[in-house]
Amino acid sequence: MSDHIQIERQGAVQTIRINRPDKKNALTRAMYAAMTKAIVDGDSDASVRAHVFFGVPGAFSSGNDLQDFMAFATTGTMGSEVIDFLIALVNAKKPLLAGVDGLAIGVGTTIHFHCDLTFATPQSFFKTPFVDLGLVPEAGSSLLGPALMGHQRAFAFLAMGDGLNAVEAKEAGLVYKLVETEELESTVLRVASEIAAKPPEAMRISRDLLRMPREEVVERIKLEAKHFAERLQSEEARNALMAFLTRKKG
Ligand code: COA
């Protein structure tokens, strides 16, 4: 598994920490696989009652590793790790919480469409530059985004790639509460423990009732993935990826 994903337990709360600070927490295939395993294992362990995602200071995640995208664009082989992770998110049986500080880009943003509660610090920034990369929205965001924030905000966010600062993300419903940096993790863990202390079966059913039907979301994820994979091999995407990977730093 991946050293860049750290799994810990605080009582009945399982934390999944993305920990690859030198690459701003970009997600590799091994990291997706490790997160999928954590969700599935935690779901089948009765002593786990909630999952929490954390990043590192300044970076929740800069999204999919663009080297991995480039490898797929050139070889055509991607593996199933990303889609397995997205489906595990949809199928998660226990509440999903997240604490965000700093960058949340691409899947680092769309993961929050699946979270039940996301807390963010004031300096957090959410952005999905899919179209600028020659790509399309993923993780069911094309379905969940408009349902959450309305078509026009979702279009600006998911198709135009307009970023949302922390306040805007909260207004759009992607973030539940803003929390000062030094209180972020303790707040998320406290709320996760409160959730964990509630009757688990009533919580499970209530959560399921509140969420969009899983089949519908999985179907959309698969449709997006089909377009995404095709787009990744397009000239538009290859040029955009090459521009990032060969950029000169000032
Ligand atoms: N994939 C692979 N590497 C990434 C990455 C990603 N998604 N995001 C950042 N990195 C790497 C950079 O290449 C750099 O590596 P290096 O030091 O070996 O050159 C390191 O992380 C630090 O990033 P840097 O760009 O120097 O930091 P920054 O603070 O100036 O900018 C970002 C941070 C995240 C805004 C910028 O790196 C970026 O735009 N990344 C791409 C985000 C993206 O498009 N994600 C996919 C969405 S679908």
Side-chain angles (χ1 to χ4, degrees):
M1 280 296 162
S2 169
D3 294 341
H4 293 135
I5 299 294
Q6 297 172 341
I7 311 300
E8 285 175 12
R9 278 285 292 276
Q10 278 85 13
V13 177
Q14 170 174 263
T15 59
I16 301 172
R17 183 182 300 280
I18 309 169
N19 185 39
R20 194 188 177 205
D22 56 321
K23 297 291 180 186
K24 306 278 175 182
N25 275 359
L27 295 167
T28 61
R29 292 168 59 178
M31 292 164 74
Y32 285 109
M35 293 195 291
T36 302
K37 182 171 171 4
I39 293 172
V40 171
D41 288 353
D43 272 351
S44 59
D45 180 342
S47 69
V48 172
R49 299 261 182 99
H51 305 284
V52 167
F53 289 101
F54 284 137
V56 294
F60 179 75
S61 172
S62 62
N64 203 101
D65 189 293
L66 293 180
Q67 296 274 10
D68 278 7
F69 273 172
M70 192 52 149
F72 176 71
T74 47
T75 66
T77 41
M78 177 119 141
S80 65
E81 291 89 349
V82 178
I83 196 115
D84 290 348
F85 171 67
L86 299 178
I87 291 175
L89 269 184
V90 177
N91 287 334
K93 296 195 188 87
K94 299 174 184 173
L96 299 169
L97 293 87
V100 175
D101 179 53
L103 295 168
I105 303 184
V107 71
T109 276
T110 54
I111 193 173
H112 304 291
F113 287 113
H114 300 274
C115 286
D116 300 292
L117 296 173
T118 292
F119 294 79
T121 63
Q123 62 275 12
S124 298
F125 188 68
F126 298 79
K127 189 173 169 71
T128 58
F130 299 121
V131 171
D132 288 333
L133 288 169
L135 302 171
V136 299
E138 39 71 310
S141 59
S142 64
L143 182 70
L144 300 169
L148 181 71
M149 54 181 79
H151 173 75
Q152 297 205 3
R153 267 198 293 192
F155 178 84
F157 187 47
L158 294 163
M160 279 178 65
D162 274 3
L164 297 176
N165 65 30
V167 171
E168 291 163 339
K170 181 169 176 288
E171 278 168 9
L174 192 63
V175 163
Y176 173 53
K177 274 188 183 164
L178 301 186
V179 186
E180 288 308 322
T181 315
E182 50 286 355
E183 284 157 23
L184 177 69
E185 298 204 356
S186 59
T187 303
V188 180
L189 290 173
R190 178 178 48 74
V191 175
S193 301
E194 285 169 17
I195 290 171
K198 293 188 186 291
E201 198 53 15
M203 177 57 75
R204 185 187 65 74
I205 297 167
S206 303
R207 178 174 183 269
D208 283 356
L209 287 168
L210 284 163
R211 296 173 70 87
M212 206 177 274
R214 287 186 164 94
E215 316 74 61
E216 217 176 305
V217 183
V218 168
E219 199 181 311
R220 180 58 66 99
I221 287 174
K222 288 182 176 165
L223 176 64
E224 291 167 346
K226 181 174 165 292
H227 288 295
F228 202 99
E230 282 169 10
R231 289 285 86 217
L232 255 180
Q233 297 193 70
S234 69
E235 207 178 323
E236 289 176 355
R238 253 184 258 150
N239 290 343
L241 291 172
M242 191 55 84
F244 177 78
L245 296 173
T246 57
R247 77 203 190 290
K248 300 262 185 300
K249 292 208 210 169

